[in-house]
Amino acid sequence: MRSEAQRHQLIIAVVSIITLMTLLATGISTLPTTWACLFGLTSGFGMLLPASTAIILAVGSDAPGAASGMLRSIQFVLGAAAAPLPGVLDSTTAISMAVVVQGARVHRLHAANPGRGRF
């Protein structure tokens, strides 16, 4: 049951970011639509992030403090590296932010399935 709920949360996040990118690419850039899509994206990650943290801490169960510290420091560095990217792409619309989020999602999926040749 839990994996089914996680699958639904992932679907919500993916549909939200694709909808946001589509709306922004077609010129529909209103505050309610952008915030609705961002709400769906954020709520979709609400189940995935704690589950991934639990998996990482289970793998590093020999030294849970070190595993937690490494996980948080990696998240901090990736967040710091990704923060300026929307401004580099285009500083006037939310589509640059959506492109960065979509790119990060694609890289995460590729890292989760190395060598399989598919996402």
Side-chain angles (χ1 to χ4, degrees):
M1 182 65 178
R2 184 172 179 170
S3 64
E4 187 71 23
Q6 289 175 345
R7 191 171 320 140
H8 289 302
Q9 295 293 327
L10 181 61
I11 290 170
I12 289 170
V14 170
V15 168
S16 294
I17 193 65
I18 290 173
T19 303
L20 179 62
M21 288 181 66
T22 304
L23 290 173
L24 293 173
T26 58
I28 304 171
S29 180
T30 64
L31 186 65
T33 58
T34 301
W35 279 101
C37 291
L38 290 176
F39 176 77
L41 178 69
T42 305
S43 66
F45 287 137
M47 174 83 87
L48 296 174
L49 292 178
S52 64
T53 302
I55 291 169
I56 296 297
L57 292 179
V59 169
S61 62
D62 296 344
S68 177
M70 288 296 293
L71 177 66
R72 297 301 175 215
S73 63
I74 289 170
Q75 288 176 342
F76 180 78
V77 168
L78 290 176
L85 292 179
V88 170
L89 294 175
D90 180 20
S91 62
T92 60
T93 65
I95 195 160
S96 58
M97 182 262 322
V99 168
V100 170
V101 170
Q102 182 72 1
R105 187 184 69 82
V106 168
H107 286 301
R108 181 189 56 81
L109 290 174
H110 182 65
N113 298 318
R116 293 189 183 172
R118 64 182 174 93
F119 296 112

